[in-house]
Amino acid sequence: MISNNRQFVTGAEAAVQGALDAGAEMMYGYPITPATEVFTIWIKKGQKYLQTEDEIAAGFGVCGAVIAGQKAFTCSAGPGHILMQDAISMAEGMRLPFVAVIGQRGGPSSGTVIYSQQEVILSCFGGNGEGHRLVYSPSNLDELYRLTALAFHEAWQYKFPAIVLTDGYLLKTKGILDETKAEPAKAHPLINEETFRHWRNIYNFEEELRDEVLKMENDFAAAAKEAARAEEVQTDDVEILLVAHGIVGAAAKEAVDILRGQGIKVGLFRPITLRPLAKEKLDKAAAKAKKIIVIESSLGQLARLVRDQLAPEISTPFDYLQKPAVGIEVEEIVNFVYGI
Amino acid sequence: MEFKPAKFCPGCGYPIALMLLAKAIEKAGLSKKAVIGLDIGCALLAWDHLPINTFQTHHGRVTSTMLGFKRAKPDSFCVAVTGDGGAYAIGLQNLLHAAKRDEPVFVLVINNTVYGMTGGQSAPTTLKNQKTDTHPEGNLDEPFFGPELLKNLVAAGAFLARTAVNEPKQMQEFFERAIAAQKAGHFSLLEILSFCPTNWRTRGAETIAYLESLKQAFKTGEV
């Protein structure tokens, strides 16, 4: 269902619209730049919310709400995201449909607030588990809207915590949102009054937990068939494969157009989900290429995911354009490709 | 009411408190509406004990989780079961704010003056000079008085009290008061002084005598 109501909005407004269209009912939050506006815009729209005393309470408030069947979510960034991993770890262990919008901060510590892709590993693997989370990386306003809505759908469908991983640049920039109306996600109570559920996250025997984790891994792999998403640009005859996500992915896409105009056979693999990663698509593009360049505003967090997931028989050499905590412009990518 | 076997140490006070809690819930007709969240610590062992919906949370996080549940399902009766460490150390910030906001959640604190699950380290409630794993020469600080601390924060209508596992009548009465407080939309916290013979390293009569001595330091009754 497409509506024609084009809007001039910030990223935070787009994320809130995505949550609303997915039928989100409740938000728990604690202010932290650059995620604060997701919370305050939600509040200004007259929605139910609770401002908690810290991100720990916000995260566990979401856990309690979703157990009761309410589509609740939160937002955070950097040091707040670190605290929130306590709740996300419980959500992962108990298969709770936890949803969070994260505005990455430059790090370590309180760092900076606009450009960063340094919360990739924290989002994907920030617990004492195996990283069974759905992590989305929008590259523009429209995707921020759609992936926020999708996060609710897939969190409730697959029962894994879902993180929309964005940044201050996208959350604060204004642009045109060509609104595609999302459908409300279906939710249901995880315990009910008719059957007594006795539910644990601590196990007596190592083997019990092993079996539980292996079941989660199976479920995650099954979910990945549908949930792993990536955009491929000009990968059919690719010789130089760029790999980038989020707003850096948007810059890389423009760079591909420029370089193609000059006859260089460049293509892009842009993961839309960082967890699970669309590994078959990655393998296919990577096997064709003579070189893979991983481009990111971090010292290799995306590169780690890509190298880990790439089929071991693919021996295409890697190169890296890594700028921790700063943005990466189209021209830099173009020049980097010229340089190799 | 059918209870599954308790998983607590022999002589532990938890099963007594939990049984009376379940009976009070049943008497109030809330067995189906009740939801028990468990902090981590000895409380976690109650996950498969009562004929009531029960789930484990994280250490110090049960109050925040249960207020999330309660806000999503206001007709539920929400109980957060926690030890003294979960309530007054790692979970204190969240407890204070939940109390101050008058969240309609019942926090049941089992106070045995030690971290029992991890083998008897000092807790906020450990008495001065009490010997523990982390204070083998005796604890240096005065204990922490939870309900008294909350007294200045809570709204009118909230219920705060302390009793002991060997005071079943008072326990029963206070459970009923906590249920009434939540029905009226208010926060409640009941601290129950409880046995921990495993970590107190006491037997039979000594255990009871030790609990009685705790009542000298921790005054029972409504706060």
Side-chain angles (χ1 to χ4, degrees):
Chain A
M1 187 173 74
I2 310 287
S3 73
N4 287 323
N5 80 37
R6 298 181 88 211
Q7 297 176 68
F8 190 54
V9 298
T10 64
E13 287 171 317
V16 168
Q17 195 58 48
L20 282 171
D21 289 351
E25 300 161 276
M26 174 72 183
M27 187 167 185
Y28 288 84
Y30 183 88
I32 182 165
T33 308
T36 309
E37 287 82 0
V38 177
F39 192 37
T40 54
I41 290 163
W42 172 267
I43 294 166
K44 282 178 190 139
K45 287 187 182 280
Q47 301 300 310
K48 270 194 197 169
Y49 74 99
L50 179 67
Q51 181 178 342
T52 55
E53 57 279 11
D54 55 28
E55 289 86 350
I56 293 169
F60 283 94
V62 171
C63 288
V66 299
I67 291 172
Q70 188 179 49
K71 278 176 278 182
F73 75 118
T74 184
C75 64
S76 195
H81 179 197
I82 295 170
L83 293 180
M84 208 164 266
Q85 284 295 331
D86 190 357
I88 295 172
S89 172
M90 184 170 106
E92 185 179 328
M94 295 171 78
R95 304 287 302 267
L96 305 181
F98 184 107
V99 176
V101 177
I102 299 294
Q104 295 173 91
R105 288 177 67 124
S109 185
S110 300
T112 53
V113 296
I114 300 297
Y115 296 107
S116 170
Q117 297 191 317
Q118 294 172 284
E119 296 180 40
V120 167
I121 298 297
L122 183 64
S123 296
C124 294
F125 297 104
N128 54 338
E130 301 296 338
H132 293 130
R133 298 108 182 264
L134 307 168
V135 180
Y136 306 85
S137 179
S139 66
N140 57 35
L141 273 183
D142 181 57
E143 267 190 354
L144 180 52
Y145 164 80
R146 285 189 293 110
L147 295 178
T148 305
L150 187 67
F152 285 92
H153 281 267
E154 295 196 331
W156 283 92
Q157 182 183 350
Y158 300 117
K159 303 292 190 305
F160 289 112
I163 294 173
V164 181
L165 185 67
T166 182
D167 52 54
Y169 180 82
L170 198 50
L171 284 170
K172 288 174 186 293
T173 303
K174 267 200 151 181
I176 299 290
L177 177 65
D178 282 318
E179 187 185 324
T180 305
K181 187 94 174 118
E183 299 289 328
K186 289 194 179 77
H188 56 88
L190 306 181
I191 58 177
N192 66 61
E193 294 181 13
E194 301 314 315
T195 49
F196 295 139
R197 185 167 185 183
H198 297 102
W199 193 359
R200 61 182 166 160
N201 56 38
I202 291 188
Y203 296 84
N204 297 357
F205 300 107
E206 281 74 12
E207 290 78 6
E208 286 179 308
L209 179 58
R210 174 202 60 198
D211 292 349
E212 196 65 30
V213 173
L214 291 177
K215 182 184 179 303
M216 285 164 73
E217 178 69 10
N218 279 339
D219 292 354
F220 196 73
K225 288 181 185 136
E226 298 279 323
R229 290 178 172 81
E231 182 187 23
E232 291 167 283
V233 182
Q234 308 259 29
T235 52
D236 286 345
D237 61 344
V238 67
E239 290 183 356
I240 299 172
L241 180 67
L242 309 183
V243 179
H245 74 102
I247 60 168
V248 179
K253 194 172 170 178
E254 283 188 48
V256 168
D257 284 346
I258 293 169
L259 290 159
R260 281 277 171 175
Q262 291 160 8
I264 301 172
K265 288 185 174 173
V266 177
L268 168 68
F269 173 82
R270 180 175 69 83
I272 294 170
T273 51
L274 296 167
R275 284 288 286 164
L277 200 70
K279 56 203 278 185
E280 285 81 10
K281 283 184 182 173
L282 171 67
D283 286 348
K284 221 172 134 192
K288 283 186 248 176
K290 297 195 173 81
K291 175 145 266 180
I292 299 167
I293 306 172
V294 185
I295 306 163
E296 57 185 313
S297 297
S298 124
L299 285 178
Q301 299 199 20
L302 173 65
R304 270 197 255 172
L305 296 186
V306 168
R307 284 194 310 258
D308 175 60
Q309 297 282 307
L310 194 66
E313 63 273 17
I314 296 172
S315 55
T316 313
F318 275 87
D319 212 330
Y320 305 101
L321 173 53
Q322 299 174 339
K323 301 184 73 180
V326 296
I328 300 178
E329 307 221 5
V330 178
E331 294 71 25
E332 291 176 85
I333 299 172
V334 169
N335 290 335
F336 189 86
V337 173
Y338 280 148
I340 61 169
Chain B
M1 280 195 120
E2 277 188 38
F3 297 89
K4 291 198 195 165
K7 298 172 174 71
F8 299 91
C9 299
C12 176
Y14 259 100
I16 305 169
L18 291 171
M19 182 183 288
L20 288 181
L21 169 68
K23 290 199 164 161
I25 287 171
E26 187 186 40
K27 193 176 159 196
L30 291 170
S31 295
K32 289 184 172 186
K33 297 278 183 199
V35 183
I36 297 178
L38 305 171
D39 212 78
I40 301 308
C42 297
L44 75 89
L45 296 171
W47 73 278
D48 193 21
H49 182 43
L50 305 176
I52 292 172
N53 272 310
T54 307
F55 57 85
Q56 294 173 342
T57 66
H58 274 194
H59 189 38
R61 314 305 179 218
V62 70
T63 308
S64 299
T65 308
M66 296 319 290
L67 74 84
F69 190 99
K70 179 72 182 182
R71 280 172 176 259
K73 193 174 184 309
D75 71 341
S76 59
F77 176 63
C78 281
V79 188
V81 179
T82 175
D84 37 54
Y88 304 145
I90 195 164
L92 181 64
Q93 166 145 313
N94 302 142
L95 177 66
L96 292 178
H97 285 270
K100 182 174 175 292
R101 289 195 302 262
D102 202 23
E103 300 281 351
V105 168
F106 172 36
V107 182
L108 174 58
V109 184
I110 304 294
N111 175 3
N112 54 18
T113 75
V114 285
Y115 283 88
M117 182 55 81
T118 47
Q121 296 77 29
S122 294
T125 46
T126 299
L127 297 175
K128 195 171 181 180
N129 299 323
Q130 184 179 338
K131 289 182 180 169
T132 70
D133 250 19
T134 43
H135 291 98
E137 304 298 320
N139 184 33
L140 305 172
D141 303 318
E142 294 293 341
F144 192 102
F145 299 100
E148 289 81 356
L149 177 81
L150 296 180
K151 184 70 186 165
N152 290 328
L153 283 176
V154 295
F159 176 68
L160 300 169
R162 183 185 290 109
T163 184
V165 280
N166 63 350
E167 302 279 356
K169 266 189 122 166
Q170 192 180 44
M171 223 189 317
Q172 213 165 351
E173 182 205 326
F174 286 170
F175 282 139
E176 285 167 13
R177 297 279 304 277
I179 290 168
Q182 190 167 140
K183 271 190 174 165
H186 296 294
F187 176 85
S188 54
L189 179 141
L190 175 61
E191 180 184 301
I192 300 183
L193 302 172
S194 178
F195 305 125
C196 185
T198 302
N199 288 300
W200 292 350
R201 293 167 177 84
T202 52
R203 289 168 177 238
E206 287 168 8
T207 304
I208 293 170
Y210 195 79
L211 185 74
E212 286 300 323
S213 76
L214 288 182
K215 290 182 196 166
Q216 306 303 313
F218 298 97
K219 206 175 146 213
T220 58
E222 187 174 353
V223 173

